[in-house]
Amino acid sequence: MRGVVFDGKQAQVVDDLEIRDPGPGEVLVAISAAGLCHSDLSVIDGTIPFPPPVVLGHEGAGVVEAVGSGVTHVAAGDHVALSTLANCGACADCDRGRPTMCRKAIGMPGQPFSRGGQPLFQFASNSAFAERTIVKAVQAVKIPKDIPLTSAALIGCGVLTGVGAVLNRAKVDRGETVVVIGTGGIGLNVLQGARIAGATTIVAVDANPAKEAVARQFGATHFIDASAVPDSSAAVRDILPTGADHAFECVGSVKLIRQAIDLLDRRGQAILLGVPGFKEEASFQVSSMYLDKTIMGCRYGSSRPQRDIALYAELYRQGRLLLDELVTEVYPIEDFAKAADDAHHGRVARGVLTF
């Protein structure tokens, strides 16, 4: 079968992947569509260290082909969106409703794939850039069949991360103010999360002026072209003189992390969603934090996928959550190199690969 494999030096589309049968508590899914996220590119460029060879992809949707023993919540023929959380469901963190913190779900990649007899790792317990993948039952969330799978694919990472950061981690409330730095796939979902939460002033900041229209479509009330002003922080302050209740950094730049912190009002929260280099460090003015400001990390939108994916699917059906509009371009899997180049250069909000 076809898939995208990174061998430690380059990523290429191959057609000779093999996958084992699902075991107890597992689900075999025929992938229909998979979003290309910057996290996949970060494996290729080394920003996210991951052992090769690995089948890439972690944002997908498809149709269940088979289930292992003990799986009852999905069956062959069901449409599912996939999460990356292969959480155990039994540890203290899972029991507290914090599956993103499950220690058994982090740093233990499986090897359900093989190629020429050699085992290949699974990226993010998912590997959606393959015609078929195996996930733990908890990762497969049944969705209505009337949701296009090219759109549903984006729920499992970009939407869970961006919207979840707003609703679950920051807990943005009605009438609050939000700054979103970076309006790529994650940033757009932060914008619509803030809109859904009832924020009244939502300021998007990006160095690409072409992103203004889509940022406003997703919920931005103001847009600042960082390439056209001498000081984008000052431009934000013109809109929010006392600072923001919430500032989300969605780029992965330590300079912009500092900017997010400096833009906070008293009791404000800076939420870090972008991924800088693995060993990079950021700085901030310590004295400013004594105004009850908070710097918050956020893993995967602090999500509970079985709950949140179903919620976001319903919000989509109600017209309150935008999914179709996130899909800038659809590529056949054979055009992975073009899709990656478009994503790297910011030409798309989200490119979607199809099989």
Side-chain angles (χ1 to χ4, degrees), residues 100-340:
T100 59
M101 295 296 105
C102 176
R103 287 172 171 80
K104 293 185 178 180
I106 303 173
M108 294 180 241
Q111 294 179 305
F113 301 96
S114 61
R115 185 182 179 213
Q118 179 187 21
L120 285 80
F121 286 106
Q122 184 173 36
F123 179 53
S125 303
N126 189 306
S127 290
F129 293 169
E131 287 187 75
R132 292 174 183 81
T133 193
I134 285 177
V135 296
K136 290 183 65 172
V138 72
Q139 296 177 254
V141 184
K142 186 176 178 180
I143 58 173
K145 291 184 178 181
D146 59 359
I147 300 180
L149 289 172
T150 49
S151 298
L154 304 185
I155 300 177
C157 179
V159 176
L160 277 180
T161 299
V163 178
V166 174
L167 302 182
N168 300 328
R169 186 69 168 125
K171 292 182 169 60
V172 173
D173 202 357
R174 293 161 295 178
E176 292 189 323
T177 59
V178 171
V179 173
V180 181
I181 302 172
T183 59
I186 299 299
L188 290 177
N189 280 297
V190 173
L191 289 171
Q192 69 171 334
R195 170 177 52 78
I196 290 168
T200 51
T201 303
I202 306 172
V203 183
V205 183
D206 201 288
N208 184 352
K211 293 185 177 182
E212 179 173 1
V214 69
R216 290 185 180 276
Q217 180 184 21
F218 274 74
T221 59
H222 300 75
F223 183 89
I224 294 172
D225 175 7
S227 70
V229 295
D231 185 346
S232 58
S233 291
V236 173
R237 290 283 183 178
D238 287 341
I239 301 166
L240 299 171
T242 63
D245 295 314
H246 310 274
F248 295 82
E249 200 282 341
C250 305
V251 177
S253 159
V254 294
K255 177 182 177 181
L256 296 179
I257 288 172
R258 174 61 185 265
Q259 181 184 38
I261 296 168
D262 289 345
L263 284 172
L264 296 178
D265 196 356
R266 297 180 180 190
R267 294 184 58 83
Q269 301 177 13
I271 300 90
L272 312 185
L273 296 176
V275 182
F278 190 63
K279 294 186 178 180
E280 287 194 60
E281 298 182 357
S283 63
F284 61 91
Q285 186 177 340
V286 177
S287 61
S288 71
M289 304 306 293
Y290 296 111
L291 292 172
D292 285 5
K293 298 180 184 181
T294 304
I295 303 170
M296 307 177 76
C298 184
R299 174 175 167 78
Y300 203 43
S302 301
S303 60
R304 295 164 65 181
Q306 286 288 337
R307 176 199 66 176
D308 291 349
I309 289 176
L311 168 63
Y312 300 154
E314 182 56 31
L315 290 176
Y316 167 80
R317 297 175 85 197
Q318 294 176 8
R320 298 171 61 191
L321 182 86
L322 305 181
L323 290 179
D324 303 339
E325 295 81 357
L326 282 169
V327 182
T328 311
E329 190 163 349
V330 176
Y331 309 82
I333 190 67
E334 289 78 12
D335 287 346
F336 170 78
K338 182 179 186 304

